[in-house]
Amino acid sequence: MSGNQDVVMKENWWSRLTRSKYFVYVLISPIFLVLLAYVIYPFYQTFLQSVMTEEGATFENYQRFFGLTSTANLEALWTSIYISVISVITCAIVGVTMAFLMERYEFPGRRILSVLILVPMALPPLVGVLSFTFLYGESGIIPRFFQALFNLDSVPFALKGVVGVIVVHTFTMYTYFYLTAAAAIKGLDPSLEEAATSLGSGRIRIWLKVILPMLTPSLVASSLLVFMISMASYTAPLMFGVDRTMTMQIYLSRTNGNLDMAATQSTILSIVSISFLILMRWYQGRRNFQNQSKGIGVHRTELRSQLAKYLSMAFSFIGVIILMLPILVLVLISFSVDGEWTVQIIPTSYTLQHYIDLFTDERTWRPIWNSLQMSFVATAGNILFGVAAAYALVRMRFKGKVFLDILIMVPWALPGTVVAVNLIAAFSEPNVFSFNQVLIGTFWILPLAYFVRHLPLIFRSTSAALMQMDESVEEAARSLGANWWYTFRRVVMPMAFSGILAGTLLALVQGIGEFVASILIYSTSTMPLSVAIFQKMYAFQFGTACAYGVLQIVLIILVLFISQKLTDGKAGAAI
Amino acid sequence: MKNVRLETVSKMFGSAVGVENVDIDVKPGEFFTFLGPSGCGKTTTLRMIAGFYFPTKGKIYFDNRDVTTLQPNKRNIGMVFQNYALFPHMTVFENIAFGLEVRKMSKAVIKEKVERAQKLVHLEKYGARKINELSGGQQQRVALARALVIEPDILLLDEPLSNLDAKLREETRVEIKRLQVELGVTTIYVTHDQTEAMTMSDRIMVMKEGVVQQIGTPQEIYNKPTNHFVASFIGESNVLNGEVVEIIENSVKVKLEDHIFVQGSIDQSANGKNLTIGEKIKCSIRPEAVFEGPGVNELHGTIQLVEFTGVSINYVVKVGSNIMKVMIINKGNRILNRGDSITLHVPVNGIYLIGE
Ligand SMILES: Nc1ncnc2c1ncn2[C@@H]1O[C@H](COP(=O)(O)OP(=O)(O)OP(=O)(O)O)[C@@H](O)[C@H]1O
Ligand SMILES: [Mg+2]
């Protein structure tokens, strides 16, 4: 043994630590601490706020929520639920139908459609709703076009209210059904169907007895997911003026200063969301993954009859139009002169000024810069904790593993509105976790919210990458003399790199587009991009709002493209 | 080149036994093999030597140094994994250089050593290749080079050939043995393939359900199996139930079923001098130790099955109620038919007496 005495001492100390069976706890305690500080504690504070009054703890607020004297809350809960149920149904119909058409039939335009079908994923929530109001709202382009066409006094139809919300949900969330159903259909062994046919089953019987049961697991999983996301939906009800949903009620209670009630509503919504998360984990754990790749790909049926060909071409054409319109309309309006577009079908005068302003006008550039900064800070934290958590959960065994596994996914299940309310409850006053600072109103609260909301993204994509990595590769490195840290740096990190990067990019763009939590906790000095869009919208500066939106979409498409390249199309796991 | 010693090493997984009371002493430079059926604890024992598991009980020594709980990276071992475990994000050169970089050697030394190792495994031209651009056999050789280049005190191989096809397996087997002899490194080899074990090893440890059955040279294991399990796991053997009826000096008379008597020897017995009259034992008779025609230990039977392999004629013969496999070397003898009766004899040193 040669070398500096200090080095030897340090090595001994560290190697003793990494060898210890408590090393895993050293690794996971920071993760637990962070989750405790920024997920559990804020949640607990909100709960406290909902039960504490001057006279002590009561469930008065909960009685009021469920009481019949004022039914607003119950109505909101009911509306949220039925919007969600209908959204699940419509998304399922659209998603599964599309999956079948795309996976089973060969028709003109299928290729382009199969790319564009994922466009809704590239729309940040606020921007998506925005383009829908521009397109189909009461002063939207399409209704006005038909009004002009048929010379009507008023628009013949317009998207608003609950129907509007459901249409937007369907457009933005059918992809969850589409992706899982398409994967399941790809995995269906065609010989099963052929076997059933040879046994004399008719088409309908085959559907009911063979195909549907095989699709059930993926349908259940997607249904739970879409239900959960619909319950959390905030932007669509906000823009279509549906006040009686849970998220809107929380927002309204807060703006009316009824903080106890907001806390109560938040707690109830959290409980619903977390129950769904647990239900989903349970269902995924129970479901047996049958080996889906048995060689023979599904052969697509080619359409033979002339009529079917024309119909399918029309279908593709309409599909492409519907999918592209939201982006096209944003691009169109982003070139329009602010304030000039009033009653015409489409804007009449155009300019490049908005794009120039984006990067040159200090006031326009500010929100972009804010969002970039805040998202970068949050993502840096996400990488640190998300990767560590993924490594601990995939590779190590310790007590409380199942608990950590669920806990780390909780922020993913919590509606953004709830995350914001919880953070407000926790950090309006100084405490240990905020290093004795009031965080509300500072720069730090938004990155914190982004950090909490997007931690699961990096965690999941990294875990997926680690799970594919053979553990013996790490052991090989150890046997060659590398210590734990060297192995992690030289072997684990590079091998999980594509997974980490995919999650990182996703967290980054999600942070840049985050609206739901931001709207509750931003301060004017740190206004993020999405809130700026919202305000421009209300100030009738449509051009600037849309230019912002286009910028976001470009970023997202870029990121999706890069992840796709990096992970050979496995990035879906992270979304 | 180090000596590896395990003292009553046991490993429990919760309440399940991985291995129990393993005692071995591997000599410096020896090629030592763990042999046994799936799940018998070979990998578990190997991983304790490598440092990936710590024994629940017992001690492990490298040259009298207690390494029982030493970290794997401090043991200076070279390990070859069943699935190779190569680093997929590195080239062949980088893979082999990894262990040297960990040891902070200079670039020039690393380059020289890696190139020498590449030559050793005949992969001189493949340095810049990515791992996924290599065949299975080439990957195996990279794994071997990577383990050897660090000049390990001990080389550990866990079923290194099981992912290769038959021909490649034989080639690589020869290659491994050549390298081991050339470098003289103490080697512990895990396999469930008896041909591999027999052809390569200096000594073999046969295991079953976590317990060591026998340790010995290939000849010892084959010719003098300690029990029924070893006798039938290594090669083929007729294991017949019997009872000791007479012991005169070295000669032991055994009564098989149906009043058939055979003559064995105390020198050819797992229990040696401890045999007692009336003791129930088993006789292990290898098929190739049985000869056609009259002689000592003459047996009469009926042929039930005939198999001609070219090198040999294999018969399944019913002798009383005992079923025996018999292998007659093909010297152009007449091949009997099913149902024919046959006279056989077994020389005294063809019978090995094993315990119950
Ligand atoms: N990590 C573990 N946890 C629990 N049980 C284990 C673990 N590793 C091994 N075992 C058990 O210990 C026993 C021995 O396993 P081991 O892997 O050593 O077998 P093996 O001889 O290498 O078999 P194979 O030839 O199939 O590789 C088996 O019964 C196995 O189920
Ligand atoms: Mg094994």
Side-chain angles (χ1 to χ4, degrees):
Chain A
M1 280 255 159
S2 63
N4 188 312
Q5 192 65 30
D6 267 7
V7 173
V8 174
M9 286 296 292
K10 214 175 102 198
E11 251 181 30
N12 285 346
W13 173 81
W14 174 250
S15 71
R16 231 181 306 140
L17 181 69
T18 53
R19 174 174 73 214
S20 155
K21 64 178 159 197
Y22 301 108
F23 176 59
V24 60
Y25 296 97
V26 175
L27 198 69
I28 59 169
S29 54
I31 304 163
F32 259 114
L33 199 65
V34 160
L35 290 172
L36 175 72
Y38 305 116
V39 179
I40 300 180
Y41 173 74
F43 179 70
Y44 173 68
Q45 283 295 320
T46 304
F47 175 71
L48 270 192
Q49 197 175 19
S50 74
V51 292
M52 291 310 271
T53 57
E54 271 119 56
E55 295 98 63
T58 75
F59 280 97
E60 210 174 278
N61 281 319
Y62 290 87
Q63 278 161 4
R64 260 204 293 150
F65 185 100
F66 290 107
L68 295 177
T69 39
S70 153
T71 55
N73 280 316
L74 280 180
E75 250 175 72
L77 185 59
W78 165 240
T79 311
S80 276
I81 289 176
Y82 91 70
I83 287 182
S84 301
V85 169
I86 295 176
S87 299
V88 168
I89 296 170
T90 52
C91 287
I93 293 172
V94 175
V96 176
T97 312
M98 294 299 266
F100 253 97
L101 292 177
M102 305 299 280
E103 292 299 329
R104 277 307 170 82
Y105 294 98
E106 186 57 63
F107 51 87
R110 190 189 67 81
R111 288 192 150 267
I112 171 125
L113 206 55
S114 73
V115 174
L116 291 180
I117 208 154
L118 294 176
V119 157
M121 295 182 108
L123 289 177
L126 178 66
V127 176
V129 183
L130 203 64
S131 63
F132 262 70
T133 49
F134 282 134
L135 272 173
Y136 310 108
E138 260 172 305
S139 47
I141 294 174
I142 306 287
R144 277 191 190 164
F145 171 75
F146 281 105
Q147 183 187 5
L149 191 65
F150 298 114
N151 249 326
L152 304 173
D153 294 334
S154 59
V155 289
F157 64 88
L159 218 48
K160 56 176 183 246
V162 172
V163 177
V165 174
I166 290 171
V167 168
V168 168
H169 281 184
T170 309
F171 183 80
T172 50
M173 291 189 257
Y174 81 86
T175 47
Y176 295 111
F177 275 97
Y178 173 76
L179 285 176
T180 51
I185 292 168
K186 263 194 206 121
L188 279 184
D189 190 346
S191 62
L192 267 180
E193 252 176 282
E194 286 160 11
T197 318
S198 73
L199 293 171
S201 277
R203 274 219 164 260
I204 294 177
R205 258 188 91 78
I206 292 177
W207 257 89
L208 289 180
K209 297 279 170 188
V210 180
I211 297 179
L212 218 51
M214 306 263 306
L215 287 184
T216 309
S218 61
L219 293 186
V220 174
S222 318
S223 300
L224 291 170
L225 186 61
V226 169
F227 187 89
M228 206 167 81
I229 299 176
S230 299
M231 283 298 284
S233 165
Y234 167 76
T235 324
L238 177 73
M239 302 295 277
F240 287 108
V242 182
D243 287 349
R244 291 276 197 273
T245 68
M246 286 300 286
T247 46
M248 282 303 286
Q249 285 295 305
I250 295 172
Y251 177 69
L252 293 174
S253 297
R254 277 210 68 84
T255 41
N256 294 339
N258 194 348
L259 302 186
D260 296 356
M261 202 57 207
T264 309
Q265 291 154 340
S266 239
T267 308
I268 290 172
L269 189 53
S270 308
I271 290 169
V272 174
S273 302
I274 294 172
S275 318
F276 264 81
L277 175 69
I278 293 172
L279 193 65
M280 269 167 77
R281 308 288 322 206
W282 171 79
Y283 186 78
Q284 276 165 359
R286 203 189 60 119
R287 143 187 177 195
N288 52 338
F289 291 89
Q290 60 244 57
N291 189 5
Q292 297 190 322
S293 58
K294 273 276 156 63
I296 344 109
V298 180
H299 32 75
R300 297 197 168 85
T301 315
E302 272 192 54
L303 292 177
R304 293 251 173 64
S305 87
Q306 247 354 318
L307 179 69
K309 261 204 184 126
Y310 285 126
L311 277 180
S312 69
M313 259 156 85
F315 164 80
S316 303
F317 184 72
I318 294 173
V320 170
I321 298 276
I322 290 180
L323 287 165
M324 282 309 288
L325 267 183
I327 291 183
L328 291 179
V329 77
L330 283 173
V331 173
L332 180 78
I333 297 173
S334 70
F335 289 108
S336 74
V337 177
D338 283 344
E340 298 267 304
W341 183 32
T342 48
V343 296
Q344 303 82 354
I345 296 174
I346 57 170
T348 45
S349 49
Y350 295 92
T351 169
L352 272 176
Q353 195 56 42
H354 304 308
Y355 284 98
I356 298 168
D357 284 349
L358 281 190
F359 302 104
T360 54
D361 182 343
E362 156 68 17
R363 275 169 310 153
T364 326
W365 165 247
R366 191 85 241 163
I368 302 175
W369 179 234
N370 283 342
S371 277
L372 283 175
Q373 273 182 312
M374 296 188 294
S375 192
F376 265 103
V377 171
T379 307
N382 283 336
I383 296 174
L384 193 64
F385 289 98
V387 171
Y391 185 82
L393 278 170
V394 172
R395 279 286 185 269
M396 300 182 150
R397 251 173 287 168
F398 51 91
K399 293 210 170 70
K401 190 167 162 161
V402 178
F403 177 64
L404 182 62
D405 197 24
I406 289 186
L407 190 61
I408 200 162
M409 290 309 288
V410 161
W412 175 75
L414 287 184
T417 317
V418 171
V419 170
V421 169
N422 289 354
L423 288 179
I424 295 170
F427 299 116
S428 300
E429 270 154 35
N431 62 45
V432 235
F433 298 134
S434 61
F435 306 101
N436 240 354
Q437 306 289 317
V438 176
L439 292 185
I440 298 299
T442 70
F443 168 84
W444 291 104
I445 191 69
L446 283 170
L448 187 58
Y450 300 168
F451 170 79
V452 169
R453 290 205 73 189
H454 301 145
L455 184 61
L457 297 179
I458 293 186
F459 167 75
R460 282 221 296 194
S461 65
T462 308
S463 321
L466 284 177
M467 272 182 223
Q468 282 173 7
M469 188 181 139
D470 196 324
E471 208 175 340
S472 61
V473 173
E474 275 171 67
E475 287 175 349
R478 302 276 279 144
S479 78
L480 291 167
N483 59 27
W484 183 83
W485 172 239
Y486 192 88
T487 307
F488 188 79
R489 212 158 40 86
R490 286 286 309 275
V491 176
V492 180
M493 286 286 275
M495 284 179 70
F497 182 72
S498 62
I500 298 173
L501 190 65
T504 302
L505 290 174
L506 199 64
L508 207 57
V509 287
Q510 297 270 24
I512 293 170
E514 214 285 339
F515 172 66
V516 183
S518 304
I519 186 80
L520 280 168
I521 49 179
Y522 80 97
S523 63
T524 39
S525 61
T526 62
M527 183 190 293
L529 185 52
S530 53
V531 175
I533 296 180
F534 186 66
Q535 294 195 341
K536 295 281 181 229
M537 183 64 196
Y538 275 83
F540 294 100
Q541 295 176 338
F542 299 148
T544 316
C546 288
Y548 278 146
V550 171
L551 182 72
Q552 282 193 7
I553 291 173
V554 169
L555 275 178
I556 291 177
I557 290 175
L558 214 62
V559 161
L560 286 180
F561 181 74
I562 295 172
S563 326
Q564 198 81 8
K565 282 269 160 280
L566 276 177
T567 59
D568 298 329
K570 276 174 259 151
I575 307 165
Chain B
M1 255 238 265
K2 272 200 175 154
N3 147 286
V4 179
R5 195 149 50 82
L6 273 68
E7 272 183 14
T8 59
V9 166
S10 299
K11 177 70 184 174
M12 309 288 290
F13 294 106
S15 60
V17 179
V19 293
E20 228 177 335
N21 287 330
V22 178
D23 263 309
I24 45 177
D25 193 349
V26 182
K27 299 190 200 78
E30 191 175 23
F31 195 112
F32 194 95
T33 299
F34 299 167
L35 176 66
S38 186
C40 69
K42 306 179 295 282
T43 300
T44 306
T45 314
L46 194 77
R47 288 170 65 83
M48 286 192 286
I49 297 172
F52 296 125
Y53 290 154
F54 297 142
T56 317
K57 208 187 95 214
K59 293 264 179 237
I60 300 176
Y61 298 93
F62 290 179
D63 270 356
N64 295 325
R65 174 170 172 227
D66 184 348
V67 296
T68 312
T69 58
L70 191 70
Q71 283 286 287
N73 51 321
K74 299 279 162 60
R75 295 190 182 205
N76 200 33
I77 45 168
M79 185 149 177
V80 179
F81 295 79
Q82 183 171 356
N83 57 356
Y84 322 135
L86 296 172
F87 308 127
H89 58 295
M90 298 183 190
T91 62
V92 169
F93 185 95
E94 288 164 345
N95 263 279
I96 302 175
F98 188 91
L100 302 173
E101 279 166 20
V102 171
R103 285 166 177 72
K104 303 215 165 62
M105 295 192 181
S106 75
K107 280 247 153 51
V109 175
I110 291 178
K111 187 159 185 296
E112 192 221 309
K113 288 196 180 224
V114 172
E115 276 169 3
R116 196 138 35 97
Q118 276 175 272
K119 204 179 241 160
L120 208 58
V121 296
H122 309 307
L123 285 174
E124 292 97 325
K125 298 208 179 64
Y126 292 84
R129 289 268 191 113
K130 276 266 190 260
I131 295 306
N132 57 13
E133 298 163 356
L134 297 179
S135 74
Q138 290 168 335
Q139 292 187 8
Q140 188 56 273
R141 282 183 283 161
V142 176
L144 204 56
R146 185 180 68 176
L148 288 173
V149 78
I150 59 170
E151 290 163 25
D153 294 328
I154 299 147
L155 181 63
L156 306 176
L157 304 108
D158 191 355
E159 308 206 22
L161 307 182
S162 61
N163 283 349
L164 302 180
D165 64 46
K167 187 164 162 2
L168 207 51
R169 197 178 317 177
E170 200 165 309
E171 276 174 30
T172 318
R173 190 175 82 201
V174 174
E175 191 80 341
I176 290 177
K177 185 63 191 172
R178 175 181 71 83
L179 287 171
Q180 195 266 338
V181 171
E182 227 165 83
L183 304 172
V185 57
T186 311
T187 302
I188 298 179
Y189 188 94
V190 165
T191 183
H192 58 246
D193 181 318
Q194 46 153 316
T195 321
E196 273 173 32
M198 298 296 279
T199 51
M200 300 170 88
S201 320
D202 294 322
R203 276 194 301 157
I204 299 173
M205 168 168 84
V206 183
M207 303 177 76
K208 179 197 171 196
E209 288 166 12
V211 180
V212 178
Q213 305 292 310
Q214 186 172 6
I215 299 178
T217 63
Q219 294 97 305
E220 283 168 353
I221 299 271
Y222 190 81
N223 293 333
K224 305 181 172 210
T226 46
N227 59 29
H228 188 173
F229 173 78
V230 178
S232 50
F233 187 73
I234 315 281
E236 270 196 290
S237 189
N238 299 297
V239 180
L240 308 173
N241 294 318
E243 185 188 331
V244 178
V245 290
E246 197 180 275
I247 305 178
I248 302 170
E249 296 194 357
N250 263 357
S251 157
V252 184
K253 196 171 182 188
V254 178
K255 187 179 94 179
L256 303 178
E257 275 160 40
D258 292 322
H259 293 277
I260 297 164
F261 292 90
V262 289
Q263 200 79 40
S265 152
I266 284 200
D267 300 333
Q268 289 279 92
S269 153
N271 276 355
K273 299 250 167 347
N274 300 335
L275 284 178
T276 52
I277 299 210
E279 186 179 345
K280 295 251 184 279
I281 54 159
K282 284 184 162 55
C283 293
S284 160
I285 304 171
R286 300 281 179 192
E288 69 273 18
V290 183
F291 296 90
E292 203 177 347
V296 344
N297 290 329
E298 203 168 295
L299 304 168
H300 301 275
T302 332
I303 294 177
Q304 295 208 309
L305 194 78
V306 184
E307 229 178 44
F308 179 70
T309 67
V311 182
S312 66
I313 307 151
N314 300 340
Y315 295 120
V316 174
V317 181
K318 191 162 185 217
V319 181
S321 60
N322 305 292
I323 303 285
M324 288 184 72
K325 288 183 196 143
V326 177
M327 187 175 115
I328 311 284
I329 297 296
N330 177 19
K331 295 180 201 143
N333 344 23
R334 191 172 74 87
I335 299 174
L336 300 171
N337 292 315
R338 181 182 145 84
D340 291 353
S341 48
I342 183 170
T343 305
L344 302 165
H345 72 271
V346 189
V348 172
N349 62 7
I351 296 178
Y352 195 75
L353 305 176
I354 52 186
E356 216 9 74

